[in-house]
């Protein structure tokens, strides 16, 4: 038993607070938008130059000039604002975005994150990931706890090229929620049917109590 | 002062040379200067260094200049949509300089603003920081990134008046304003050229001072990921 993709997204959505400006990464983080709690108004930022991302368009609403950072067609909201890429990253680098929720290949117990490159495999580029994790005050990673081979993605030290050092504050995995604290990771919450021992077994990083 | 030209080919007259550096606007296939890219393909200019967030797809956008082997080097943040790019890169025919997306945008903005370098936290402790000057400010480490000074900017806007004052539409603005500003010469393509006084001066996104030549034309505006919901 563990959380599925949608349950992980729903759990991540609980991190959102009213009034926040938030950047959601590609993959499971994008699903977080479907679970924003009632009464909480958050404004989603797309780093290609938009604050206030609306839902996918209907066939009639599709507009080639209106896409998100994943290059998917989207719509605008009444409070939407558009701006250029330099302005977009000025607000990211300048610490104006309250939270970034993104995926990762590896996270280390000191908050290091690797999510852009696997040596020897095709390298597509970091896009805006390095800017986001360096500039946003609260970085939350949503990812599976282990890879397809069953190896932990929550490590003492990252083995892949880093996206940034010491930036991750919280990990939400299919097994539960862990915080980066002094000396290692602290288990905050276990997923349904998952025990702390299950998390310890699946975690290479140091777990402190 | 004549800024309006009859075609992309005419607007690029005398501006292209082998080994030049071009800054191009656009994000994915959104807001790309598709008419100017096509005219550069026809001109056959070689060994071009292109600063652009992406490199189009195999048969559209900057991808067409890859196919014709006109690009020597790309300065980009993400190139995942292009199989020919990967083939040329892995075989060593194409140089690639990865830039974090915000660093690339700011390098263009800085170049256009006459700023040769700036410090940023982005990339500290990663391969991006290798070989770059590190400096501490307030106990935090930053790296030095350089402004981009291009020979030519090619950008796309929605509308412009005949003096080059331009407005963009929705997220098609993206890299176009910073790319426009960092070139010695900027050529702008728009969907519609209007008379001065038509656009609200309070709503101009790119003042005409940055625009040297201007063309109007039909745009395909291809969509990369058409995602829809039920009506």
């Amino acid at each position: 038993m563990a959380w599925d993709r949608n349950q992980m997204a729903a759990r991540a959505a609980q991190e959102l607070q009213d009034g926040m400006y938030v950047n959601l990464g590609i993959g499971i983080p994008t699903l977080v938008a479907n679970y924003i709690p009632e009464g909480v108004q958050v404004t989603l930022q797309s780093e290609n130059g938009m604050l206030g991302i609306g839902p996918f368009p209907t066939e009639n609403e599709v507009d080639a000039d209106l896409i998100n950072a994943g290059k998917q067609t989207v719509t605008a909201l009444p409070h939407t604002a558009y701006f250029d890429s330099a302005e977009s990253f000025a607000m990211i680098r300048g610490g104006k975005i309250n939270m970034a929720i993104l995926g990762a290949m590896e996270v280390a117990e000191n908050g290091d994150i690797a999510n852009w490159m696997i040596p020897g495999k095709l390298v597509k580029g970091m896009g805006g990931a390095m800017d986001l994790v360096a500039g946003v005050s609260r970085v939350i990673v949503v990812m599976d706890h282990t890879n397809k081979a069953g190896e932990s993605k929550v490590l003492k030290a990252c083995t892949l090229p880093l996206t940034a050092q010491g930036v991750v504050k919280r990990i939400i995995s299919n097994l539960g929620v862990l915080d980066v604290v002094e000396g290692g990771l602290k288990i905050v919450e276990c997923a349904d049917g998952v025990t702390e021992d299950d998390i310890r077994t699946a975690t290479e990083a140091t777990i402190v109590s | 002062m004549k800024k309006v030209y009859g075609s992309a080919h005419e607007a690029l007259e005398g501006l292209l040379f082998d080994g030049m550096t071009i800054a191009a606007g656009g994000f994915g296939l959104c807001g790309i200067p598709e008419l100017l890219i096509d005219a550069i393909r026809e001109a056959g200019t070689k060994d071009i260094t292109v600063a652009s967030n992406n490199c189009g797809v195999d048969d559209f956008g900057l991808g067409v200049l890859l196919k014709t082997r006109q690009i020597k080097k790309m300065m980009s943040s993400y190139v995942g949509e292009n199989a020919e790019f990967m083939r040329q890169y892995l075989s060593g025919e194409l140089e690639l300089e990865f830039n974090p997306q915000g660093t690339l945008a700011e390098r263009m903005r800085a170049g256009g603003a006459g700023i040769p370098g700036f410090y940023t936290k982005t990339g500290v402790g990663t391969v991006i920081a290798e070989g770059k000057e590190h400096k501490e400010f307030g106990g935090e480490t930053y790296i030095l990134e350089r402004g981009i000074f291009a020979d030519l900017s090619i950008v796309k806007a929605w509308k412009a008046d005949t003096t080059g004052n331009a407005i963009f539409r929705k997220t098609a603005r993206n890299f176009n304003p910073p790319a426009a500003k960092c070139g010695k010469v900027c050529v702008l393509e728009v969907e519609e050229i209007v008379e001065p006084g038509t656009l609200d001066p309070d709503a101009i996104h790119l003042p005409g001072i940055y625009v040297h030549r201007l063309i109007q034309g039909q745009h395909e505006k291809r969509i990369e990921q058409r995602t829809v919901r039920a009506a």
Side-chain angles (χ1 to χ4, degrees):
Chain A
M1 282 291 288
W3 286 327
D4 63 20
R5 287 165 59 88
N6 283 300
Q7 288 170 315
M8 288 160 72
R11 176 58 189 83
Q14 299 300 316
E15 303 289 320
L16 303 171
Q17 291 166 22
D18 193 38
M20 275 187 169
Y21 290 89
V22 178
N23 185 295
L24 300 178
I26 292 167
I28 301 175
T30 304
L31 301 174
V32 173
N34 300 333
Y35 298 97
I36 297 172
E38 199 145 330
V40 172
Q41 199 199 337
V42 298
T43 301
L44 300 179
Q45 198 244 21
S46 193
E47 62 266 28
N48 56 318
M50 179 181 196
L51 274 168
I53 310 172
F56 291 140
T58 62
E59 196 62 54
N60 291 333
E61 292 171 334
V62 168
D63 185 339
D65 290 336
L66 185 43
I67 63 169
N68 63 17
K71 289 149 189 148
Q72 298 170 310
T73 46
V74 294
T75 56
L77 297 169
H79 66 287
T80 292
Y82 302 113
F83 34 85
D84 70 50
S85 299
E87 183 74 43
S88 181
F89 284 93
M91 64 183 75
I92 290 168
R93 207 184 295 105
K96 315 299 178 186
I97 305 291
N98 304 109
M99 182 180 286
I101 301 177
L102 66 171
M105 298 166 183
E106 294 177 348
V107 176
E109 63 190 44
N110 62 355
D112 287 1
I113 175 172
N115 74 347
W116 77 283
M117 166 180 193
I118 300 174
K121 291 211 177 165
L122 282 186
V123 182
K124 295 181 171 186
M126 72 290 287
M130 283 190 182
D131 310 272
L132 278 161
V133 294
V136 174
S137 51
R138 189 161 172 82
V139 174
I140 294 178
V141 164
V142 180
M143 66 174 191
D144 283 327
H145 212 95
T146 53
N147 64 20
K148 286 186 182 119
E151 298 156 342
S152 186
K153 295 169 66 174
V154 184
L155 305 172
K156 290 189 192 312
C158 290
T159 63
L160 296 169
L162 294 183
T163 309
Q165 293 177 320
V167 295
V168 176
K169 301 289 193 288
R170 174 165 280 192
I171 302 164
I172 298 173
S173 80
N174 54 322
L175 299 184
V177 181
L178 297 94
D179 274 353
V180 176
V181 297
E182 195 69 37
L185 301 175
K186 186 173 169 19
I187 298 173
V188 176
E189 194 177 324
C190 297
D192 309 326
V194 173
T195 65
E196 288 204 9
D197 275 349
D198 295 334
I199 293 181
R200 284 172 199 277
T201 306
T203 305
E204 194 230 52
T206 311
I207 298 211
V208 297
S209 45
Chain B
M1 182 187 71
K2 173 187 171 289
K3 291 190 179 180
V4 179
Y5 285 71
S7 68
H9 171 75
E10 285 172 35
L12 291 171
E13 184 79 47
L15 300 181
L16 301 176
F17 58 94
D18 292 349
M20 72 186 304
T21 298
I22 297 177
F27 181 92
L29 299 181
C30 182
I32 58 171
E34 47 185 274
L35 307 175
L36 292 162
I37 290 169
D38 217 41
I40 293 170
R41 178 184 59 78
E42 283 170 14
T45 315
K46 290 200 175 8
D47 297 327
I48 306 171
T49 294
V50 181
S52 167
N53 189 54
N54 315 95
C55 196
V57 293
D58 282 335
D59 63 339
F60 195 60
L62 289 168
V64 304
L65 301 183
L66 279 179
K67 203 177 254 179
T68 53
R69 309 286 180 89
Q70 288 172 264
I71 299 177
K72 182 182 76 175
K73 178 181 175 180
M74 285 299 304
M75 299 162 73
S76 303
S77 86
Y78 191 82
V79 294
E81 330 289 355
N82 196 313
E84 175 64 12
F85 188 105
M86 283 302 165
R87 195 199 62 71
Q88 288 188 23
Y89 173 58
L90 293 174
S91 68
E93 297 163 58
L94 178 70
E95 291 173 52
L96 173 60
E97 178 193 301
F98 271 131
N99 285 249
Q101 194 173 132
T103 295
L104 183 64
E106 187 64 11
R107 290 185 66 194
M108 290 181 181
R109 195 203 68 80
I115 295 170
F118 59 92
Y119 291 96
T120 176
K121 266 195 289 190
T122 303
V124 170
T126 75
V127 294
I128 292 303
E130 287 172 11
K132 290 175 183 162
E133 184 197 325
H134 288 57
K135 195 173 170 100
E136 276 202 17
F137 294 91
E140 297 228 45
T141 304
Y142 295 74
I143 53 171
L144 177 67
E145 293 282 1
R146 295 184 178 278
I148 291 173
F149 300 89
D151 297 304
L152 173 68
S153 301
I154 55 170
V155 293
K156 191 259 169 188
W158 182 32
K159 294 180 183 181
D161 68 24
T162 54
T163 72
N165 289 320
I167 58 173
F168 299 86
R169 194 169 168 276
K170 304 185 179 181
T171 56
R173 194 180 320 179
N174 56 59
F175 272 83
N176 281 294
K181 295 169 187 174
C182 74
K184 287 191 193 102
V185 181
C186 171
V187 183
L188 170 69
E189 62 180 65
V190 297
E191 295 173 43
E192 188 184 358
I193 295 175
V194 299
E195 286 305 313
T198 312
L199 303 176
D200 177 358
D202 269 334
I204 301 297
H205 299 134
L206 183 69
I209 190 169
Y210 295 110
V211 177
H212 303 94
R213 299 183 183 188
L214 180 62
I215 56 161
Q216 170 184 311
Q218 288 290 321
H219 290 81
E220 178 183 336
K221 297 214 276 188
R222 196 182 290 186
I223 293 173
E224 216 163 324
Q225 308 256 8
R226 177 182 287 267
T227 41
V228 295
R229 68 187 150 95

